[in-house]
Structure formats: C-alpha cells, structure tokens
Amino acid sequence: MTTDNAHTTHQMGSEVDEVADHYWAALVQSSPTLATALGLDLNQDEYDDLSPAGLDAQYRLAMDTLDRLDQAMPADDTDRITVAAMRSSLGLEAESHDKGYDLLSLNGIASGVHEIREVYDAMPTETPDQVSTVARRLHATGPALDGWLATQRASIDAGIPAAIRQVDLLVEQITAWTSDGGFFDDYLKRTASRDLPDAVTTALAEGIDAAKRNFRRTAKALSSEIAPLATETDAVGIDRYRLASRQFVGTTVDLTETYEWGKQELARIEQMQRETAERIRPGASIKEAMAVLDADPAYQITGTAALKVWIQERADEAISSLDGTHFEVPEQARHIEGMIASTHDGGVYYTPPSDDSSRPGRMWWSVPDGVNTFTTWRELTTVYHEGAPGHHLQTSSAIAAREELNSWRRNYWTSGYGEGWALYAEWLMADLGYMDDPGHFMGLLDGQSMRAARVVLDIGLHCQFEAPEEMGGGEWNWDKAWAFFNNHVSMDEGSARYEVNRYFGWPGQAPSYKLGERTWLELREAAKAKDPNFDLKEFHTTALRMGALPLDVLRRAMLS
C-alpha cells in the first residue's frame, strides 16, 4: 500500500465505500447510543439491544459485511486500506463471538451498565423537547439493563463467569450513582435548573426515579444472582488475553517479549525521572522532587471550577499554537470543551464531537470524592493527551474528512491507534518545547511511568507470568499489583484504586497505549529514514487523514 495522494485522488462511492457505508448505517440504526455519540436524532428514547439476541444480530451484520467485502472490487489504495481494516476489525469481532467471549461485559470501567449510564453525558438538554426525550430514555433503562443481565447470565452458562472483584466494584459504582446526591440526583438538579415547563420537569423527575429504581434492581441482581456464581480468579488466562489484545491493538503481540520490554521501558523512564528530579532540587529523589512540586503554589489549583477554567485555557492555547505549524487543524477541531464529570470514579476521558460538529469534542475529569486540590504539573500532559494534539485532533480530523473517507473509516476507533497516538502526542509536545519546565516534564514522565507499569501489570496478571523480583516473584495477586503500581506511580489513593481495578477488569486494553505509542514512534523514524526531505507536519497530516486503523494495517499503509 502507499499513502502518496491516496486520499486526495480517491473518488467516493466505490464498491468498497458502499459496503462500508452500508455497514455503518446498519450499525447506527441498531445502536441508539452510537447515534447519540454522533449527535444524530435517531431513536434517542431507546437503547441498544444488549441481550444475547442483540449480540447475535451484530454478529450476523459483521459476517454479512465480510461476505460483501469479498465481492467488492477495490478501486485504489484507499479502498485496499478500508478492506484490510474492516477484515481485521470485523474478523476479530466474529472470532470473539464464536468463542463466547463477547458475552461477558461486567467490570468497573467499560461494561454495558456504563454504556447505559454514560449516554446522558452526550444527550442535548437545551430545549424542552430534548429534555422530554431524556425522560423517556430514562424509563427505558429497565429493559436495557434486563437485556444486559441476561447476557451476563448467558456468559456464566457458557463457562465464562465474571470475577467477583468486578461484580463488587460495579455494585459499588451503581450504588454511588443512585445514592442521594449521586449522578442521577446531580443530573436532575443541573437539567431542571433551566427554564422548563412544569410538565417537562415532572417527567424528567419521574424518569430519574425510574432509572434509579432500575439501576438499584440491577445492583441487587448482581449481588444476589451473579456474585454467588462469580470466580475468585482475576486472571483471564493467556488464550482470552491474546484475543483481547489483538482486538485492542489490531496486531498480534508477543506477550512474553512485551512483558520484558515493559520492564525495560519502565526502568528507562524512571532513569529520566531521576535526572529530572535533580533539576527540580539537587540531590532529591523522585518522590522528594514530586513533594516539592506538590508544595509549590505555582502548580496548585483549588476547586473544580478553577480546574475547568485552567483545562480550557491550556487546550485552547495548544490548538492555537499547533494549527498551521506542526498540524493542519480542521475547522471542526478548533473548539473543545473541558468538563468536570458528574461521576467521581477518578478517570479522565474524551468524547468526540457530533458528526455535524454542533456538539464539540469534550475532555472529562471525573474527580474522586474529597479531592479539591489539583497540581498543574501533573495535569498539563493529560490536557495534551485528551485534547490537542491527542484524542481531540485525531478523532476530529477523521470526522472532518468527508470528501476522503467513507462513514465507517471516519468513525472507526481502535485503542492501539488512538491511545497510542495520544501518548505520542504527549512526547511530541515535549519535543516541541511545551514541556521544558521541569515540573511539567516530570508530570509527563509520571504518566509515562504509569503507562509502562500497566504493560507489566496487565500482561503479567492475566497471562499469569511470574511477578517481578521487586515483588518477590511468584504469582501476581491484588496485593502485589497494588504495591507494584504505587511503587512506580504517584497518584492519590482513589485514582490509584480506579486504575488498578481497571487493569483487573479490562484485560488487554491498558498495554495498548504503550504498544500504540511504540508503533507511532517507529513509523516516524522509518519515514525520516526513507525520505531525506521528511516533513513532520506532512507526516501528521497524512496519518490523521487516514482515520483510525488497526496497527498492522497502519504500518503497511504508512511504510509501503
């Protein structure tokens, strides 16, 4: 494959484009929550079918699309990239379904329950009609949750039970969402504060009450039905892990080699941390240097309102300075919103703009309860990761490429590409001089240390490799994972527990960051070696205009 003028010469409407567009339209039609993410007014008072029948329908759609791809004639390199990417993605989806692995969706970060709850973050509430739609969807949480529960029971019947740690964690999260002052109460308070007709406010309140009852009923079913059948074993085993890893990164990973590479990468980053600590205070250890930074008023923000303002200012500055220099920022990507989430799980995440860009891309900070002081030396690199040149620029560039990419290519997401790009973006900002301040660079390295520690912890735990010598070797368990993480990452306890629970419950996802980053850095160096007139801005533009791709496909597309 070659990328030379591949997209600028592609004529939309090829046989391959038609297959991809047909698949995407069918997927959107079957997924009201996906329509919400795209900003489409389609079945917005409904939910996806998360029951086993719903999964079977998605499987049939994937298989039908693969059959249609076999009949389609690629017109050019763009089509060949599309075919390779769809065969990789849909083929892995079908393989997971054939093995029954797609049934289990029970963890503390990316379960069907989270999908049902998180859709409200993206629903518009500016008009009475929109709020009325929200109220109707809140009532629909009952059937949606029941369908998801049926699938978790089917997973148990298939011999793939959830880990009890994840069941307990999800029950804890649902309890927090539905408690007095939790997510649903806060959502009602924020939405009803607008000037709405009394009937609409009443309908919303009734919908909130119904949703809280439905979620509480689900938590009870988890505790009484699912928990007694859950497994005490956290590890999923190397076979399930290998497939999960392929799904997240789009390539086959040598897990033994990557486990050892993760240890080496962690050691390399920590050496850089020691060198940076010396710049912050001569003779200081890493932890001592971080304590100096934490105590410095120049790096402190108090209150989530002030945090939100600071996030917004840094994101706007990045977009303004990068546009036209190292990137071509499309019009749709020039606005981003920094948001404080109504949940308190401790995560930070990004939601893309609507398809028509009427809803901007947003960065969300989910601040743990009791945390009210924030240190900018830790947060700046996260703004670059979630905003520009990270997730926001990557996803917005693809969504904006209407004349170059079919609808599936514009909206496809894969973790190795996307999260790898976001880590690449953090290093890039350091290379460009935005992290010259030793405190901010220490924040970058602290985040990098966490991502490298993830590789070791995630692979080691789930593949049941021997724990590092610093943990005494032997079998990984929660205590070793918790100690290992805190040995290498500086983080408040609430956020740290969120992170470690995430690795236990979402096997294969966490290493995709560093694996993707490694691929992006390799691709850039290979492009430099190949072209004596290498131009960084052109490299970025070419890569982002292709949209997200499985790493195998990306590598072939960029280097052939």
Side-chain angles (χ1 to χ4, degrees):
M1 296 177 187
T2 176
T3 59
D4 294 342
N5 300 316
H7 296 291
T8 56
T9 61
H10 179 65
Q11 297 296 313
M12 295 294 295
S14 68
E15 291 181 20
V16 172
D17 285 334
E18 289 179 2
V19 173
D21 286 336
H22 179 272
Y23 171 75
W24 183 251
L27 194 64
V28 173
Q29 184 65 40
S30 69
S31 176
T33 58
L34 176 57
T36 302
L38 298 171
L40 302 177
D41 187 14
L42 181 67
N43 303 325
Q44 289 302 280
D45 54 1
E46 300 177 13
Y47 273 106
D48 303 21
D49 183 354
L50 301 180
S51 72
L55 295 185
D56 287 342
Q58 296 303 314
Y59 173 76
R60 290 193 299 273
L61 174 61
M63 296 303 293
D64 176 69
T65 302
L66 288 170
D67 287 342
R68 296 186 65 194
L69 275 178
D70 288 341
Q71 306 303 316
M73 180 65 68
D76 53 22
D77 283 342
T78 297
D79 277 352
R80 282 183 276 276
I81 292 171
T82 298
V83 170
M86 294 193 79
R87 282 179 176 158
S88 173
S89 176
L90 299 186
L92 287 168
E93 180 182 325
E95 185 177 347
S96 179
H97 185 82
D98 287 337
K99 294 178 181 295
Y101 293 166
D102 60 343
L103 293 167
L104 182 60
S105 170
L106 201 166
N107 56 55
I109 182 172
S111 72
V113 172
H114 290 86
E115 179 182 338
I116 293 167
R117 202 286 304 158
E118 290 171 359
V119 72
Y120 297 99
D121 291 341
M123 291 189 73
T125 55
E126 283 75 30
T127 70
D129 283 347
Q130 290 171 340
V131 176
S132 295
T133 300
V134 169
R136 293 194 300 274
R137 179 173 258 174
L138 286 163
H139 283 284
T141 54
L145 289 164
D146 288 345
W148 174 81
L149 276 170
T151 302
Q152 305 323 296
R153 296 184 185 104
S155 185
I156 293 171
D157 292 341
I160 308 172
I164 186 60
R165 189 184 310 278
Q166 299 305 313
V167 179
D168 291 343
L169 179 60
L170 189 53
V171 169
E172 178 184 324
Q173 290 179 338
I174 294 173
T175 301
W177 299 342
T178 58
S179 65
D180 292 342
F183 167 78
F184 287 105
D185 284 357
D186 183 71
Y187 187 89
L188 175 61
K189 180 179 178 181
R190 286 184 290 109
T191 307
S193 65
R194 302 186 173 114
D195 187 17
L196 297 170
D198 290 345
V200 174
T201 301
T202 298
L204 178 63
E206 292 173 348
I208 290 288
D209 286 343
K212 289 170 70 173
R213 288 194 302 271
N214 293 331
F215 273 88
R216 285 169 177 161
R217 177 169 50 81
T218 299
K220 183 177 180 181
L222 287 169
S223 297
S224 62
E225 298 178 39
I226 305 297
L229 300 174
T231 176
E232 296 287 342
T233 302
D234 293 299
V236 300
I238 197 166
D239 289 338
R240 277 177 58 193
Y241 191 91
R242 187 176 285 115
L243 178 54
S245 174
R246 288 167 58 206
Q247 288 184 286
F248 281 119
V249 298
T251 190
T252 298
V253 174
D254 182 331
L255 296 172
T256 301
E257 181 275 333
T258 304
Y259 186 57
E260 295 305 317
W261 171 79
K263 297 175 188 177
Q264 297 165 10
E265 181 71 357
L266 184 57
R268 182 184 73 86
I269 293 166
E270 290 186 340
Q271 177 57 34
M272 296 177 69
Q273 286 182 296
R274 285 188 286 271
E275 295 168 359
T276 305
E278 186 70 20
R279 293 172 58 199
I280 294 169
R281 195 187 74 186
S285 67
I286 296 172
K287 288 188 176 181
E288 288 169 343
M290 289 181 175
V292 170
L293 296 173
D294 283 340
D296 188 341
Y299 295 112
Q300 292 179 354
I301 296 175
T302 301
T304 53
L307 175 64
K308 181 179 179 180
V309 170
W310 180 85
I311 291 168
Q312 189 67 57
E313 290 175 347
R314 300 293 82 74
D316 291 342
E317 288 172 359
I319 291 172
S320 176
S321 62
L322 292 171
D323 188 16
T325 54
H326 304 291
F327 291 91
E328 289 293 345
V329 179
E331 181 66 33
Q332 297 92 327
R334 291 176 184 167
H335 179 53
I336 185 174
E337 289 184 350
M339 307 290 288
I340 304 299
S342 298
T343 55
H344 304 282
D345 300 331
V348 180
Y349 57 97
Y350 173 78
T351 54
S354 59
D355 192 57
D356 64 358
S357 298
S358 61
R359 184 193 68 234
R362 290 169 174 162
M363 304 175 292
W364 298 83
W365 264 248
S366 177
V367 179
D369 285 325
V371 175
N372 197 48
T373 301
F374 310 93
T375 50
T376 58
W377 71 268
R378 298 175 189 272
E379 302 291 349
L380 183 60
T381 196
T382 305
V383 174
Y384 296 149
H385 180 109
E386 303 295 341
H391 288 319
H392 178 65
L393 187 53
Q394 181 259 309
T395 57
S396 297
S397 295
I399 290 172
R402 289 183 176 275
E403 297 181 1
E404 303 166 11
L405 300 177
N406 58 55
S407 54
W408 184 81
R409 288 279 300 276
R410 289 172 56 236
N411 291 281
Y412 174 66
W413 166 263
T414 181
S415 187
Y417 176 103
E419 299 296 357
W421 171 265
L423 279 200
Y424 167 85
E426 293 186 53
W427 276 121
L428 177 68
M429 292 301 275
D431 293 341
L432 297 177
Y434 289 83
M435 310 288 280
D436 286 350
D437 176 277
H440 292 152
F441 191 62
M442 182 64 90
L444 166 65
L445 294 175
D446 186 46
Q448 284 285 331
S449 179
M450 176 182 70
R451 272 53 177 259
R454 284 175 173 177
V455 175
V456 179
L457 197 163
D458 199 84
I459 294 176
L461 168 75
H462 288 292
C463 296
Q464 299 174 302
F465 292 161
E466 184 171 352
E469 290 183 9
E470 69 176 278
M471 307 316 302
E475 183 178 339
W476 279 95
N477 55 34
W478 171 266
D479 290 338
K480 289 181 182 179
W482 178 248
F484 179 80
F485 184 84
N486 286 288
N487 283 351
H488 298 284
V489 181
S490 172
M491 187 176 287
D492 65 86
E493 182 176 352
S495 297
R497 288 198 176 277
Y498 173 88
E499 282 294 328
V500 178
N501 278 321
R502 165 185 181 170
Y503 313 147
F504 273 68
W506 209 11
Q509 194 271 346
S512 67
Y513 292 64
K514 289 295 289 182
L515 292 171
E517 176 200 62
R518 180 166 64 168
T519 297
W520 278 112
L521 291 171
E522 290 171 351
L523 290 174
R524 187 178 69 185
E525 294 310 304
K528 284 182 180 180
K530 184 178 180 181
D531 183 2
N533 298 313
F534 173 81
D535 182 85
L536 184 62
K537 178 181 172 184
E538 182 179 345
F539 173 79
H540 292 152
T541 300
T542 298
L544 294 182
R545 283 171 64 179
M546 288 195 297
L549 295 170
L551 292 185
D552 274 347
V553 179
L554 175 67
R555 194 176 288 110
R556 293 197 301 270
M558 292 293 290
L559 297 182
S560 298

